[in-house]
Amino acid sequence: MAENEAVVEAALGKLDLEAKTRLLAGQDMWSLPALPEIGLASLVMSDGPIGVRGVRWTADDPSVALPSPTALAATWDPGLARRAGVLLAQEARRKGVHVLLAPTVNLHRSPLGGRHFEAYSEDPYLTGRIGTGYVQGVQSGGVGTTVKHFVANDAETDRFTVNNLVGERALRELYLAPFEAIVEHAHPWGVMTAYNTVNGTTMTEHHHLVNEVLRGEWGFDGFNVSDWMAARDTVGALRGGLDVAMPGPRTVYGEALAQAVRDGRLEESEVDGAVRRVLRLAARVGALEGAEPAVAAPPAPVDGEALARELARRSFVLVRNENDTLPLTSGTVALIGAAARDARILGGGSATVFPARTVSPLDGLTAALPDGTLTYAVGADPTTELAVADKGFTLRAVCRDADGRVIGTGSAPNGQIQWMGADLPEGVTHDTLHTVELTGTFTPRATGRHAFGIKGVGAFTLTVAGTTYYDGVQLPADVSDPFEAFFGSPVPRAEAELTAGEPVDVSLTHVFRLPEDIPLKVVAFALAHQEPQRDPDELIAEAVEAARAADTAVVVVATTDRVESEGFDREDLRLPGRQDDLVRAVAAANPRTVVVVNSGSPVELPWREDVAAVLLSWFPGQEGGAALADVLTGAHEPGGRLPTTWGSLTDAPVTRVTPEDGELPYTEGVFIGYRAWEKEGRTPAYPFGHGLGYTDWTYESVETDGTSLTIRVRNRGDRPGREVVQVYLAPGEPGPDRPARLLAGFASVEAGPGESAEAVVDLPRRAFEVWDEAAHRWVFVKGSYEIQVGRSIADRRITATINV
């Protein structure tokens, strides 16, 4: 909008150097300063990918919690991703948020990546398509996005310091590709640069990738914000194309940036470029007076609960269904597993939101099945250590000054306090705060010896039922990690014999003390708890009895936030605790055993051939249990297809996530995911694109004019269904440096019983191109290609040959 650019230039012209440099530094954890002299409101940012938390870590203002990004990618439906984005824009506007810190479009390079639940897929094309839909949806609501983490932030180990050595071709064809596609098709208003270093240059200072590639080649005109605490050097960051250094108030920008200009180390015109992009963002989101916002009227309201439920069932991937065990027809059901009662609906870390309600599998199936047909047994608990206090706890935070006077109180939806920057209870400041007491009651649901513990660093006093069990100082396990208090393990500090249903008082008091040189003021600690540990063999035996007495057994297995979370990678792909033993025992007792896998990314399923059905439910969001009932009872079909190959760690071709001497070489080049499995000739448990519905499809024909395909499929089952038609492109001469085939397109179709449907898929030019490292450009590879159309990369039904 040319008029807006004029408004931006006029506003820029009124600012002095101090105001400009202040605008480029966060004023606190989540926002930029207002500049009333030019009619600029404070720009507010918020996590995250599956919901909008807002600027406070609290359940006082609940957020809709959608399924994990891996689940969104499993729908293979950019239109559904767009609808998710529209809902999140609505949530953001309600909470006064201008910019959403999402989507995460890093790739599932190694299955050990601990944060993969927050990214979409191993495939750059699928990632780009889903990310495009998401960004279009959010921005259609007048809210900005920051596509992240630019670039090659594909694991968590040493993420602040790791130097990822990535060849130019792999960088272009894999890791940059989703960002490029989203810039081209969705025009995002922001990008977030990553913590890591790429080929020797830290990403917040990467002039080549940010200024020359992202802005120069691709024409990105949005703002570039650092990941939180990623910016390291004032001159390096500005010259490297970083516009905003977050969070504030202490960053490498602000006064340090003004001084660099006064000292002649930077030109003021360089600062102007960054300020111009921030003002452009403000104009787009309606935060700059005199500028027309990009969206005059927001989209029609969306029902968040209904969309969360639809998204979940469309994302569930049915990978095995012997003898049509699903959908359940009638009879009794034994529901088994701790995760069936206490569902894990979202991943850990910065993606956390607090929904107003959560529907567990037990809740969902209890509501959907006839009275008296459902029984429940714990079976095995995936939580092998203390977890943040949750079920049965009613807690609040009481803040006191050094004299013991109460200066403020805050809610604590679970046992975790996470107050970042200015996010403090009313009346509380960092200067006056001396102690925070998490206090309230705990009503146990089991009789026996309960364990309590502390997550965090500093001085603590822990009291349960009138007895003080700990009064001392807890030291960090890893002094090098600034997020230790967020992601570290809880330390057990107390054991108390308690009786089910009888409330007891609990209290955890923390003495607040910040180190002098800390750039970010954070109050972060947690009360942790673990229920009495019964003999695992007894629990499994109870589950076996329940399974034997029922027509069908449904076992829910899960990972925990000690397995999959931000801040660390996985050490293996096994389910925690005795869950594998549980599944084997139940399957031996009941041939109609259905296993529901509640994880954000791949886990090993060593018993998969021994059970009747396997359904992957990801982290399914707040309505996950209702969606699970929809799918198990057959009210709806499971709609998902695998966005990432599932297999065992020993077979996985690319696994390394740990740097050596600070470096992590991507020696596999362009061969990650299914490309690598095929190159190595290995067979995964479940291939990329795999997923079963409740009907069967015949692939009848494919016609092509060289750039577009028309594919006819027929539903030969006895119920309506949806099919994801997948198109793979196989070069006639793949050679050692070209994958055997690549995903080149996909489309969803729906048809009733016996009906046919047509899918139209356009073949992008990029599918025929490779990056020439010698010439530093894309090269169109002429020759013969086979178009392979099917239900997964391994289930190819019809082919056509084209010459280009």
Side-chain angles (χ1 to χ4, degrees):
M1 294 163 79
E3 315 85 72
N4 274 4
E5 287 296 307
V7 175
V8 164
E9 290 304 320
L12 177 62
K14 293 176 186 167
L15 296 176
D16 62 16
L17 177 63
E18 276 66 27
K20 290 173 185 173
T21 55
R22 201 165 75 248
L23 178 60
L24 303 183
Q27 66 176 350
D28 55 27
M29 188 69 188
W30 302 113
S31 68
L32 301 183
L35 298 177
E37 64 268 32
I38 57 168
L40 176 68
S42 171
L43 285 164
V44 179
M45 300 172 244
S46 169
D47 293 315
I50 62 137
V52 184
R53 190 171 61 248
V55 299
R56 311 196 72 167
W57 194 273
T58 173
D60 293 345
D61 179 14
S63 310
V64 173
L66 298 178
S68 59
T70 41
L72 190 58
T75 69
W76 286 60
D77 189 338
L80 200 51
R82 194 180 198 282
R83 289 172 55 204
V86 170
L87 169 68
L88 295 178
Q90 174 179 300
E91 288 275 280
R93 293 180 81 116
R94 180 173 67 78
K95 289 175 178 257
V97 168
H98 300 104
V99 179
L100 204 53
L101 302 173
T104 302
V105 299
N106 301 114
L107 298 184
H108 296 181
R109 174 182 164 268
S110 158
L112 293 175
R115 199 178 179 182
H116 282 345
F117 61 86
E118 203 181 304
Y120 293 130
S121 167
E122 68 189 26
D123 182 75
Y125 178 76
L126 177 60
T127 297
R129 288 280 306 274
I130 299 295
T132 292
Y134 181 99
V135 169
Q136 287 172 337
V138 174
Q139 293 186 175
S140 75
V143 174
T145 54
T146 59
V147 190
K148 65 181 190 179
H149 307 84
F150 191 76
V151 63
N153 181 183
D154 309 299
E156 294 293 279
T157 304
D158 298 344
R159 61 181 175 160
F160 299 100
T161 55
V162 62
N163 179 17
N164 292 325
L165 305 178
V166 193
E168 192 180 330
R169 184 171 164 213
L171 202 53
R172 291 286 187 154
E173 293 186 18
L174 293 179
Y175 304 102
L176 287 170
F179 291 94
E180 182 182 11
I182 293 168
V183 168
E184 180 181 350
H185 299 293
H187 307 293
W189 300 345
V191 158
M192 182 192 290
T193 41
Y195 291 121
N196 54 281
T197 291
V198 172
N199 299 332
T201 305
T202 188
M203 279 311 306
T204 46
E205 299 169 25
H206 216 302
H207 176 82
H208 169 62
L209 289 178
V210 173
N211 287 334
E212 294 175 0
V213 177
L214 175 66
R215 291 197 172 119
E217 282 183 42
W218 303 348
F220 171 69
D221 69 352
F223 91 121
N224 172 13
V225 61
S226 72
D227 202 343
W228 266 225
M229 293 165 56
R232 295 161 170 84
D233 179 80
T234 302
V235 174
L238 197 75
R239 291 250 159 96
L242 184 72
D243 299 328
V244 173
M246 289 296 287
R250 278 178 56 190
T251 80
V252 299
Y253 285 172
E255 178 50 37
L257 180 55
Q259 194 59 48
V261 173
R262 287 193 289 265
D263 293 346
R265 290 180 291 137
L266 286 168
E267 297 294 326
E268 189 167 350
S269 60
E270 296 175 273
V271 174
D272 288 350
V275 174
R276 185 177 290 117
R277 287 184 285 268
V278 174
L279 293 176
R280 185 180 295 147
L281 170 71
R284 284 169 165 163
V285 300
L288 180 63
E289 269 178 31
E292 282 294 314
V295 177
V302 180
D303 180 335
E305 287 184 1
L307 181 59
R309 184 170 180 167
E310 180 187 351
L311 249 171
R313 63 182 181 240
R314 287 280 308 280
S315 76
F316 292 168
V317 184
L318 183 62
V319 293
R320 178 178 172 85
N321 192 21
E322 295 299 292
N323 305 316
D324 294 332
T325 301
L326 292 179
L328 303 172
T329 46
S330 61
T332 54
V333 175
L335 181 63
I336 295 163
R341 180 182 61 184
D342 303 328
R344 183 153 187 226
I345 64 160
L346 47 80
S350 60
T352 301
V353 294
F354 302 99
R357 73 170 203 160
T358 297
V359 184
S360 69
L362 181 55
D363 297 331
L365 283 171
T366 299
L369 296 177
D371 285 351
T373 58
L374 183 70
T375 57
Y376 173 71
V378 174
D381 193 337
T383 306
T384 55
E385 57 182 59
L386 281 73
V388 172
D390 191 12
K391 300 286 188 296
F393 287 85
T394 305
L395 300 167
R396 63 193 184 101
V398 178
C399 301
R400 291 184 173 85
D401 63 15
D403 297 324
R405 284 190 298 262
V406 174
I407 54 174
T409 60
S411 72
N414 55 14
Q416 184 139 324
I417 294 293
Q418 199 145 295
W419 298 332
M420 296 181 267
D423 174 18
L424 289 168
E426 198 173 330
V428 179
T429 67
H430 291 107
D431 294 335
T432 56
L433 181 63
H434 178 64
T435 62
V436 182
E437 183 188 11
L438 257 181
T439 179
T441 59
F442 170 54
T443 307
R445 57 186 182 187
T447 296
R449 185 172 287 274
H450 288 253
F452 296 84
I454 304 166
K455 180 172 161 178
V457 174
F460 293 96
T461 306
L462 173 63
T463 303
V464 180
T467 301
T468 297
Y469 288 89
Y470 181 77
D471 188 356
V473 175
Q474 194 159 285
L475 298 173
D478 179 2
V479 290
S480 71
D481 187 348
F483 292 108
E484 166 75 21
F486 295 85
F487 305 125
S489 295
V491 181
R493 295 295 184 187
E495 286 193 348
E497 284 285 344
L498 303 177
T499 306
E502 292 186 9
V504 293
D505 292 334
V506 292
S507 163
L508 176 63
T509 303
H510 172 51
V511 179
F512 174 66
R513 185 174 292 123
L514 280 178
E516 285 301 309
D517 59 344
I518 195 159
L520 178 62
K521 292 182 174 174
V522 175
V523 186
F525 67 95
L527 171 66
H529 168 255
Q530 188 177 34
E531 291 197 325
Q533 295 300 286
R534 287 184 53 202
D535 180 347
D537 291 325
E538 269 181 40
L539 288 173
I540 290 173
E542 285 176 13
V544 165
E545 286 310 302
R548 195 172 279 133
D551 294 311
T552 306
V554 176
V555 187
V556 183
V557 295
T559 60
T560 69
D561 61 6
R562 299 304 307 148
V563 174
E564 281 187 278
S565 182
E566 182 179 346
F568 51 83
D569 290 312
R570 295 197 277 175
E571 292 173 7
D572 56 56
L573 301 181
R574 292 194 295 274
L575 288 165
R578 294 281 302 280
Q579 295 182 100
D580 286 335
D581 294 340
L582 171 68
V583 173
R584 286 192 181 97
V586 169
N590 189 329
R592 288 176 56 84
T593 292
V594 177
V595 184
V596 178
V597 183
N598 181 192
S599 73
S601 46
V603 288
E604 288 175 355
L605 313 173
W607 32 257
R608 65 185 184 278
E609 300 292 334
D610 306 327
V611 300
V614 180
L615 181 73
L616 312 181
S617 69
W618 312 106
F619 296 146
Q622 67 176 62
E623 304 297 316
L628 182 64
D630 288 341
V631 165
L632 292 182
T633 61
H636 290 273
E637 205 179 22
R641 305 293 185 265
L642 285 181
T644 292
T645 307
W646 280 51
S648 71
L649 186 59
T650 49
D651 288 338
V654 180
T655 57
R656 188 173 160 200
V657 291
T658 305
E660 218 167 274
D661 299 325
E663 293 184 344
L664 183 64
Y666 284 28
T667 51
E668 70 283 349
V670 297
F671 291 92
I672 68 168
Y674 63 80
R675 306 154 176 247
W677 284 87
E678 288 209 313
K679 184 185 184 192
E680 299 295 329
R682 299 178 190 176
T683 304
Y686 301 112
F688 178 82
H690 174 63
L692 308 170
Y694 289 156
T695 186
D696 291 314
W697 296 86
T698 302
Y699 280 63
E700 293 185 341
S701 64
V702 55
E703 294 172 5
T704 179
D705 60 7
T707 58
S708 180
L709 307 174
T710 303
I711 301 143
R712 180 175 288 276
V713 295
R714 188 175 298 277
N715 178 356
R716 57 187 175 90
D718 56 7
R719 59 174 285 160
R722 170 189 288 268
E723 176 72 333
V724 178
V725 177
Q726 302 167 36
V727 176
Y728 296 90
L729 195 65
E733 299 172 25
D737 62 342
R738 268 185 104 184
R741 72 200 91 250
L742 295 175
L743 179 69
F746 59 89
S748 295
V749 294
E750 294 182 54
E755 293 178 358
S756 67
E758 278 188 355
V760 177
V761 175
D762 293 324
L763 292 176
R765 179 181 171 86
R766 183 56 56 80
F768 300 94
E769 294 180 325
V770 297
W771 183 262
D772 184 328
E773 291 193 334
H776 308 295
R777 63 182 179 90
W778 291 102
V779 175
F780 190 85
V781 183
K782 296 177 179 176
S784 170
Y785 289 82
E786 187 171 70
I787 295 165
Q788 303 170 342
V789 184
R791 311 200 67 208
S792 77
I793 195 160
D795 184 359
R796 305 186 292 273
R797 298 293 178 90
I798 46 175
T799 61
T801 301
I802 58 169
N803 289 288
V804 295

